[in-house]
């Protein structure tokens, strides 16, 4: 085995060599087979090197097409491909490639990083954002966010009769003082918000108080919410 091939096989990151000339073929290193849960011998014996068992076919065809575009150049490609490990689990991977020429064909070296956790987190956040958007489009209530460290209260438009505006309806800076000075909260109800401002005593917030309108009249409102915490369990 040549020294460059030995380097590839034992490289400390998952890598494959992709042949984009003629019949598609792939060669994985030790870390690649660890990533998908096989040994190289197991894979050769069980799958007859059928990489379509591992790679999402659409992704790998797109990758090979992009690799052909940089053949014979010093260009590189970044691509996202899906893999299936030995147990059938779906893995999302980030591939970075660099063209390299070999005597037996046009091969491209690809390093592969497992980004499954990041992709799943992003997917979960997008779903939560869609759920929140749906709630805000359907509710007649006012949605608020209060940032404890910044003492900032943001109110959002949320009206079931209209499409939700992505712009904040109003933002109060220095809210703990503004709420008093501008009669946003009735002076006799201000004390109910003290624990909220400090992020104390609340897992679930349920308050009834009088809030000021632009007409300077007060109306009874009910506030419901929850305190969000950071990784250390402190109010965010």
């Amino acid at each position: 085995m040549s020294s460059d091939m030995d380097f590839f096989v034992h490289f400390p990151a998952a890598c494959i060599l992709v042949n984009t000339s003629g019949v598609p073929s792939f060669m994985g290193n030790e870390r690649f087979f660890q990533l998908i849960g096989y040994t190289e011998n197991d894979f050769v014996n069980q799958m007859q090197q059928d990489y379509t068992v591992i790679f999402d076919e659409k992704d790998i065809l797109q990758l090979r097409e992009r690799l052909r575009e940089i053949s014979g150049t010093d260009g590189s490609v970044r691509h996202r491909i899906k893999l299936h490990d030995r147990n059938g689990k779906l893995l999302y991977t980030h591939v970075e490639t660099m063209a390299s020429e070999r005597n037996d064909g046009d091969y491209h070296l690809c390093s592969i990083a497992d980004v499954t956790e990041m992709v799943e987190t992003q997917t979960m956040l997008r779903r939560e954002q869609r759920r929140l958007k749906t709630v805000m489009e359907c509710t007649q209530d006012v949605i608020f966010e209060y940032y404890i460290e910044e003492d900032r209260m943001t109110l959002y438009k949320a009206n079931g009769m209209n499409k939700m505006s992505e712009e904040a309806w109003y933002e109060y800076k220095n809210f703990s003082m503004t709420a008093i000075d501008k009669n946003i909260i009735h002076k006799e109800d201000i004390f109910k918000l003290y624990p909220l401002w400090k992020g104390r005593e609340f897992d679930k917030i349920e308050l009834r108080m009088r809030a000021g309108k632009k007409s300077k009249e007060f109306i009874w409102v009910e506030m419901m919410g929850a305190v969000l915490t950071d990784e250390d369990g402190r109010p965010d």
Side-chain angles (χ1 to χ4, degrees), residues 13-155:
C15 296
I16 57 174
L17 282 172
V18 184
N19 184 343
T20 57
S21 296
V23 178
S25 64
F26 305 86
M27 182 180 298
N29 70 348
E30 292 177 349
R31 286 299 180 92
F32 172 73
F33 285 107
Q34 290 175 13
L35 175 65
I36 60 175
Y38 287 91
T39 66
E40 184 173 5
N41 288 336
D42 285 342
F43 185 80
V44 171
N45 294 333
Q46 296 179 29
M47 304 297 179
Q48 291 77 47
Q49 293 188 334
D50 181 6
Y51 278 77
T52 60
V53 175
I54 295 175
F55 292 103
D56 179 271
E57 185 175 6
K58 181 179 178 181
D59 290 349
I60 202 63
L61 290 176
Q62 289 177 345
L63 174 61
R64 294 184 77 242
E65 181 61 31
R66 295 188 65 189
L67 292 176
R68 290 191 188 98
E69 294 175 358
I70 64 167
S71 293
T73 74
D74 59 357
S76 62
V77 167
R78 295 180 178 180
H79 198 67
R80 181 73 58 81
I81 63 174
K82 296 183 288 292
L83 306 176
H84 292 88
D85 69 11
R86 188 170 191 163
N87 297 318
K89 179 183 177 182
L90 181 63
L91 304 177
Y92 295 90
T93 63
H94 174 75
V95 177
E96 289 203 30
T97 62
M98 183 66 69
S100 61
E101 296 295 330
R102 288 168 52 90
N103 293 332
D104 53 354
D106 190 358
Y107 277 81
H108 298 262
L109 177 63
C110 306
S111 64
I112 302 180
D114 185 359
V115 294
T116 303
E117 184 175 349
M118 180 189 71
V119 172
E120 290 177 346
T121 299
Q122 291 174 340
T123 300
M124 181 181 66
L125 288 174
R126 285 195 296 269
R127 288 173 179 168
E128 290 298 323
Q129 288 172 345
R130 288 198 296 269
R131 291 190 187 103
L132 178 60
K133 185 174 185 293
T134 299
V135 169
M136 293 183 72
E137 287 177 343
C138 296
T139 185
Q140 298 285 340
D141 299 330
V142 173
I143 307 298
F144 75 93
E145 292 178 331
Y146 177 65
Y147 299 88
I148 296 171
E149 292 296 327
E150 302 173 34
D151 190 22
R152 175 166 57 88
M153 174 74 81
T154 307
L155 304 178

Side-chain angles (χ1 to χ4, degrees), residues 177-213:
M177 295 301 299
T178 305
I180 300 172
D181 295 342
K182 302 295 183 181
N183 288 322
I184 297 172
I185 306 298
H186 195 284
K187 63 182 180 180
E188 294 180 4
D189 294 331
I190 283 291
F191 74 94
K192 297 177 182 179
L193 293 178
Y194 289 162
L196 175 64
W197 290 333
K198 299 298 183 181
R200 297 197 308 263
E201 299 181 13
F202 289 113
D203 290 322
K204 183 178 180 181
I205 302 168
E206 292 186 4
L207 300 174
R208 293 188 75 249
M209 59 190 178
R210 286 160 288 186
K213 298 175 64 176

